[in-house]
Amino acid sequence: MYIFIVNPVSGSGKGRKVWKKIQRKLIKLDIPYRSFYTKKAGHAFDLTKQLTELYRDKISAIIVIGGDGTIHEVVNGLANYPHIPFSAISAGSGNDFCRGFGIPRRPMAALNHILRAHRRRCDVGVYQFKRKVSPIGYFINGLGVGFDGEVAQLTNQSSYKRLLNKVKLGGLAYVISAFKLLFRYQTRDVRIKVDQEEHYFENVWLIVVSNIPNYAGGMKIVPSARPHDGQLDICVVNQL
């Protein structure tokens, strides 16, 4: 049985439209499935945890129809069941997961790819906050600290992201936010430990720990990153 977790409001309503097309195809192919709509932020995480507890031996795969935010929640919900196959059909603004994992952008092509693809293990990053109640989390795309984090926050809170999603230019929202923040962002000096070796950087704009080449709607921040190579790649932007 395939489990579909659908974010109906992702991409300014694109998630709902994509799911209707996928649903008709599943019925036509007589593929057993169950679908669940997310209702608020964090709901995809809760749904995934509940569904894996109930149906862990019956799930063929969990498939997200939504954006990278919904994907992030589902990845964290799967923490206790990493053997359950997972994929996504893009319906968000950035859609970096699908770019990074080579999943076609068109919904029907993506569905066919997922149904036919061989299972393959991939890398997952772990992050931890010292001052949080639930400090440990997981990421499958990448993790950014600094300027890009503020750009992402501003973009997700903006009205222009919703408008640009409607005309299929959601990735442009990140560029607009970057220019808005460019002249008032304060750089920091940073010390990083990588494989037991310390590195010191002055005037740091951003640090990205990446599992895939792209982020923020397709920008290739670390072109050499691969999600199956057993490594996370780090990009530090400083002294600009």
Side-chain angles (χ1 to χ4, degrees):
M1 176 178 64
Y2 288 91
I3 300 288
F4 287 83
I5 295 180
V6 183
N7 184 345
V9 300
S10 64
S12 296
K14 184 180 178 182
R16 189 187 303 272
K17 294 176 183 177
V18 169
W19 168 238
K20 294 300 181 184
K21 294 179 181 178
I22 295 296
Q23 189 176 35
R24 287 195 293 269
K25 186 69 172 181
L26 293 170
I27 293 170
K28 183 177 180 180
L29 295 174
D30 196 28
I31 294 174
Y33 73 91
R34 290 196 66 182
S35 63
F36 300 86
Y37 275 21
T38 61
K39 298 178 180 178
K40 58 182 179 180
H43 192 201
F45 171 77
D46 294 334
L47 279 173
T48 304
K49 286 194 70 174
Q50 293 166 8
L51 291 167
T52 49
E53 290 289 343
L54 288 171
Y55 304 113
R56 57 183 175 271
D57 297 325
K58 299 177 181 179
I59 298 175
S60 300
I62 292 181
I63 301 169
V64 169
I65 296 182
D68 291 313
T70 310
I71 290 167
H72 177 73
E73 289 188 21
V74 172
V75 166
N76 279 270
L78 281 169
N80 294 329
Y81 297 97
H83 65 282
I84 294 178
F86 163 80
S87 194
I89 296 173
S90 62
S93 302
N95 301 313
D96 286 305
F97 173 85
C98 291
R99 283 189 181 90
F101 281 82
I103 300 170
R105 297 290 299 279
R106 291 180 293 110
M108 291 302 107
L111 179 64
N112 290 334
H113 173 85
I114 291 167
L115 294 177
R116 296 172 182 172
H118 297 290
R119 297 180 183 183
R120 189 176 182 185
R121 289 183 178 273
C122 71
D123 307 326
V124 177
V126 183
Y127 62 90
Q128 184 170 6
F129 296 112
K130 292 184 178 179
R131 295 182 179 88
K132 295 280 186 177
V133 176
S134 300
I136 295 177
Y138 302 88
F139 64 91
I140 198 166
N141 287 3
L143 184 147
V145 178
F147 180 73
D148 64 324
E150 292 200 22
V151 168
Q153 184 177 29
L154 178 61
T155 302
N156 290 332
Q157 295 171 348
S158 70
S159 58
Y160 49 82
K161 178 183 178 181
R162 292 188 291 273
L163 293 172
L164 289 167
N165 277 338
K166 291 180 180 179
V167 293
K168 300 182 180 180
L169 293 172
L172 186 59
Y174 295 95
V175 179
I176 294 172
S177 297
F179 277 106
K180 292 184 73 171
L181 288 169
L182 189 60
F183 299 104
R184 59 184 174 89
Y185 182 74
Q186 297 294 313
T187 61
R188 301 287 191 275
D189 295 343
V190 178
R191 194 179 306 277
I192 306 173
K193 181 181 283 187
V194 181
D195 298 332
Q196 308 307 315
E197 184 178 344
E198 283 200 352
H199 305 265
Y200 180 74
F201 300 92
E202 296 180 339
N203 298 322
V204 173
W205 281 80
L206 61 91
I207 301 167
V208 178
V209 182
S210 193
N211 194 32
I212 58 177
N214 50 285
Y215 85 153
M219 288 188 283
K220 288 194 174 181
I221 189 70
V222 189
S224 61
R226 296 292 181 269
H228 309 100
D229 63 0
Q231 298 182 25
L232 296 173
D233 294 65
I234 301 175
C235 174
V236 179
V237 178
N238 74 318
Q239 299 284 22
L240 294 179

